[in-house]
Amino acid sequence: MTTSFETVRVAAVHAAAPFLNLEAGVRRAVEFIHEAAAGGARLVAFPETFLPGYPYWIWSHTTKYAAPFFAELYRNAIELPSPQSDAIAAAAREAGVWVSLGVNERDGGTLYNTMAWYSPEGRLVAKHRKLHPTNAERTVWGQGDGRDLFVVDTGFARVGGLICFEHTMSLARHALTAMGEQIHVASWPAINATHADPNAGDFNHYSTTLAAAHAICAQTYVIVVQGRISEEMVERLAVPAGPDAPTVGGGISGFMGPNGKWLAEPHRDTEAVIFADLDLSMIAFAKYFADGAGHYDRPDVFRFDLDRTPHTTLPESTVQQGVIRAASASTKVV
């Protein structure tokens, strides 16, 4: 692999899009992309399911009262490709930046929690679907498969990413390490909504601890990018006041070095685009101590492979053969 030793400016968007409104959310994402580029970023990362928002109701509403929210999410989920996706790609091209965008992706009858990657040339180059939705998230999203583990060679670094509790999947993280990841995007939702553990306290310790572990184990920079809960979300969810009610703000975003330490104090709560300059030459010092996919690996002891076979109900070619087009169908009824 080609190793880069330059310093790269990156950005993280700590924000919420208009809730369950795809068109308005795309316009907001375009604004953030241009703001990040104006600040000198070559890569801008958005939180988990920025478009059109994270389904916070799964932690607070019963199935009966969650159903209308899901229907609204389904209508406002993005298809890849689509005119809305093309608008993001065009913004990446105009701004000249790489974009990692968290979306609710609609494919057929299923939604996926997806990290979409756009190039400065204005192309959707890859998409990572969350391999396994976490707990109640399984009522909303389907699963990804082996195609969803990859790194993107941007020319200045190999960049990869995982979503939320995927960071507890050690083999997924190791796969990215073995692919030579140098910058890692760790995307999360705002973490001040309801959750199952009443003793969890500041839930942000999950994201920060897991980010630090990956930085150290993979010898990579980590962009921690979390969303925030807006006033609109609080009003729409209408959870009664009390310990289970989400509050405005939430989450932290920031940048960690290969030593697992914050490069600067992370940002909390308020909407912001934040920046960091990542000196990629520092990765060599971490690799010198322990290269997780090199001299500190033991492939003779541990066997690991990645199955990239698509997991589909039917092969796409079979699906297309089974669809009768009205324009080509015979008018003769047998």
Side-chain angles (χ1 to χ4, degrees), residues 17-333:
F19 194 45
L20 302 181
N21 186 330
L22 178 59
E23 298 298 335
V26 168
R27 291 192 293 271
R28 197 74 184 102
V30 168
E31 293 172 357
F32 282 128
I33 289 169
H34 285 287
E35 182 178 345
R42 298 173 68 181
L43 165 68
V44 53
F46 285 80
E48 177 179 356
T49 57
F50 180 77
L51 296 179
Y54 182 86
Y56 293 104
W57 60 83
I58 62 177
W59 306 107
S60 56
H61 291 55
T62 64
T63 302
K64 174 181 177 180
Y65 295 104
F69 279 114
F70 177 83
E72 191 172 355
L73 177 66
Y74 187 87
R75 290 193 302 271
N76 282 273
I78 194 170
E79 294 183 330
L80 302 174
S82 66
Q84 294 80 11
S85 177
D86 291 344
I88 300 297
R93 182 182 66 250
E94 293 162 3
V97 297
W98 283 90
V99 176
S100 171
L101 179 64
V103 302
N104 287 274
E105 178 197 358
R106 186 177 66 239
D107 185 2
T110 297
L111 301 184
Y112 297 92
N113 182 338
T114 299
M115 183 183 287
W117 294 84
Y118 297 88
S119 74
E121 291 74 37
R123 294 187 301 113
L124 172 65
V125 298
K127 61 181 182 181
H128 165 77
R129 289 174 172 173
K130 191 172 185 179
L131 289 170
H132 200 62
T134 307
N135 200 275
E137 291 178 352
R138 295 168 210 167
T139 64
V140 175
W141 297 311
Q143 295 178 324
D145 57 38
R147 296 171 296 177
D148 298 306
L149 282 173
F150 55 81
V151 296
V152 178
D153 190 345
T154 64
F156 56 79
R158 289 194 177 188
V159 186
L162 294 173
I163 302 168
C164 198
F165 254 58
E166 283 187 310
H167 289 89
T168 66
M169 304 173 76
S170 298
L171 294 181
R173 294 192 298 101
H174 185 67
L176 298 181
T177 306
M179 294 175 196
E181 185 183 59
Q182 296 169 291
I183 300 174
H184 179 83
V185 177
S187 69
W188 294 72
I191 304 183
N192 61 342
T194 55
H195 50 76
D197 182 1
N199 302 310
D202 183 2
F203 202 74
N204 291 309
H205 77 275
Y206 284 106
S207 58
T208 56
T209 301
L210 290 167
H214 185 64
I216 294 169
C217 295
Q219 303 86 49
T220 182
Y221 282 96
V222 178
I223 302 172
V224 179
V225 57
Q226 294 186 205
R228 65 183 298 273
I229 292 179
S230 64
E231 294 84 350
E232 178 191 16
M233 292 175 181
V234 173
E235 292 175 3
R236 288 290 311 277
L237 295 171
V239 179
D244 291 336
T247 55
V248 174
I252 61 175
S253 296
F255 310 91
M256 283 189 179
N259 60 358
K261 295 183 178 180
W262 293 111
L263 301 183
E265 187 68 22
H267 180 83
R268 291 178 179 267
D269 294 325
T270 59
E271 181 179 289
V273 178
I274 59 174
F275 298 87
D277 295 311
L278 310 185
D279 180 0
L280 299 181
S281 69
M282 297 304 296
I283 293 176
F285 292 91
K287 295 291 186 185
Y288 169 69
F289 190 79
D291 181 4
H295 64 76
Y296 209 69
D297 192 12
R298 287 298 303 272
D300 57 323
V301 176
F302 303 105
R303 302 300 171 87
F304 171 53
D305 197 5
L306 176 60
D307 181 3
R308 305 192 71 87
T309 305
H311 289 185
T312 57
T313 302
L314 285 174
E316 183 61 27
S317 59
T318 304
V319 171
Q320 293 303 318
Q321 291 170 5
V323 177
I324 298 174
R325 311 292 178 183
S328 60
S330 169
T331 57
K332 182 179 178 181
V333 177

